[in-house]
Amino acid sequence: MNKKQLYLKLFVLIFFFTISKSIQSQNLKLSSPDKLIEIKIQTLNQLKFQVSLKNNVIIENVDIGIEMSDGRLIGPKSKVRNIKRETVNQIVNVPVPNKDKKIETTYNQLTISLTSNFDVNFRAYNDGVAYRINDKRNKQKNVIYEKMSLEFPNGASTYFPWEESMYSHNERLYNHKEISKLKNSDFCSLPVLIETDNGKVVFTESSLHNYPGMFLEKKQNSNLISKFPNYVLKAVPAGSYDSENGEGSDRTQDIVEEANFIAKLSGSRNLPWRVFIISDDDRTFVESNLVTILSEKSKIEDTSWIKPGKVAWDWWNANNIYGVDFKAGINQETYKYYIDFASENGIEYILLDEGWTKSTTEIYEANPNIQIKELIRYAKSKNVGVLLWVLWKPLNEDTEGLIKLYSSWGAVGVKVDFMQRNDQYMVQSYEEIAEIAAKYKFLVDYHGAFKPAGIERVWPNLLTYEGVMGNEQNKWNIRNFPYSNDPQAVDPEHNLTIPFIRMAAGPLDYTPGGMTNVNLYDYKWDPSDKSPYGFDRSGNPLKKSDNITAIFTRPMVPGSRAHQVAMYTVFESPLQMMCESPTIYKKEQETVNFITQIPTTWDETVVLKAKLSDYIVIARRKGENWYLGAMTDWTARNFEVDLSFLDNDVNYNVQVYKDGVNTDRNAMDYKFEKMILNNNSKINISMSRGGGFSAIFKK
């Protein structure tokens, strides 16, 4: 090698060393298309980022990491191989839309490729940011741990869905606490909302497939750290367990053996998106489609057979019908009564909940009091579909056999209950059940479930999830909810919290429609009362209401009648329950006539006014008609709303369902009105405490 070649080689080495050093040490920036959100990414020593909203820091620091069984990791020794930027204009058509049928969006993306065969994608949207890790190595390995550490500015608080175990129904209150005042090791399910002086963040995940669901755990220094269930090696029925006969609980399990890793991966794949919806306007969290946009496309080519709709439901009202000449209960006559009620009111489905099978584990045969095939034939003759409740465990053991059997009877879907797990096996089971159900053109509703996180877009026959503290909680009484002083937790304040947090993740089967509506009068616990309704986590007596009593077979619901009716417009669920007894609905025909006009999927959503935990006014379009829903907490409110969202130069026939003048005394009081309005009109929304307001606009 001559001197000239030696100098050239040295120059090339120095050049590439300098470039490599520059890639490792540079701070990268990524902005939302409207420039209001900015991510600052640091690649030196540790992959981490900071997020600002309108030039103010809203997320102080996010540390990203992963450790694999093959020795690879994202951590202090990670080295950057390449950086790629792109801007994408995207149109997403949603086959079963919760908010918007057609979503047009733009995002800026930055991809960091690491020498350890990982890519990390960062995206910035106008309503938030997201990142995900892509494992590029096409071999089998296990994920030991995926790290995400969140640090927020001093004084940040959270609406924290506190969990006692990762084995959970994920039905929680959103307890408002300063992060610093949470105890170390307190943890929550997702989604969770964090509030700072500069705005709010809802954190959740999307594109969750064959991978465990994430929780967040409070650590020292007010950090929130990712927490995952380990890979389950063995689960047995809970309680007294007979290992020879497999006897124990029919629905609750004990996890008796776990691996020392969280997931098995086979080949290269993308991990779930970590999603941060960000805004200083509470309306954003209700309007955002980020979870849907970041989900994978539908695998069902022809979705025309998927029919959203309302459901006449038996379990909440305990089959409690009366004024009939037969004995009410789980029997043929009672269910024909439900079918007749559904048919007379254009309700698409009835649900046969727990009790319709021979037993909860013997689910190949119906209860002897039910002739299931004849009942389904009768329902079909009345243009009503039949959904069947099943426990997850026996369904999981013979998914195709059972769905094929139920389909042969003429049923159209299943409500699957008591999963209570977020581990990798369970997440994969959700998807496998939905896929097999799609093969038989079967609908799916998940209860005892984690939140929506993308499976429902891939398999849109999965119409709704529970994963929310809903109306069923009113069937029983006071519970010791951590960080809560409220004995009747499912009240208007809770109802005005979930649209901004839980609903940001996707549909929620809250099961609205209770007609025995009651006000809450007594807000203070009387120290002279020696029998409080339990204690909160700090040992303080819970408040007592002198007006609400839990009656399992005849439940009451806190808040007004119009509050419950407004839920059909405010709460998103393509399969929407009507929880009350048909006998009571028949006595409230004007209310039923109003509810049954409200769709369960939407072409367009506009939030007009909103404040977390306090109130919401929302307008949704289906076809050429508009629907308005408003709800308030225990504070009476008045709004004047302009109707500029309506089409120009068109008069609309408007039906209004609102609180009556005496709702503050009797929560069942309401008023129904008709009027003609157009887009130049204004509408006055007056809501009693715990109240609501609904309007239907038809051309």
Side-chain angles (χ1 to χ4, degrees), residues 143-146 211-212 228-231 259-264 423-424:
V143 181
I144 306 300
Y145 178 61
E146 182 191 343
Y211 196 83
F228 294 91
N230 284 337
Y231 188 87
N260 62 351
F261 55 84
I262 66 170
K264 292 182 177 182
D423 58 272
Q424 184 182 21

Side-chain angles (χ1 to χ4, degrees), residues 220-276:
Q220 294 179 349
N221 303 320
S222 294
N223 284 10
L224 298 173
I225 304 290
S226 57
K227 181 182 180 75
F228 294 91
N230 284 337
Y231 188 87
V232 174
L233 297 173
K234 186 177 182 181
V236 300
S240 178
Y241 179 60
D242 180 338
S243 59
E244 184 175 339
N245 299 312
E247 294 176 353
S249 171
D250 62 347
R251 64 197 67 198
T252 304
Q253 295 181 311
D254 288 331
I255 309 300
V256 296
E257 191 176 350
E258 296 178 331
N260 62 351
F261 55 84
I262 66 170
K264 292 182 177 182
L265 300 187
S266 180
S268 60
R269 60 162 292 182
N270 298 324
L271 272 58
W273 284 103
R274 310 303 172 199
V275 185
F276 304 81

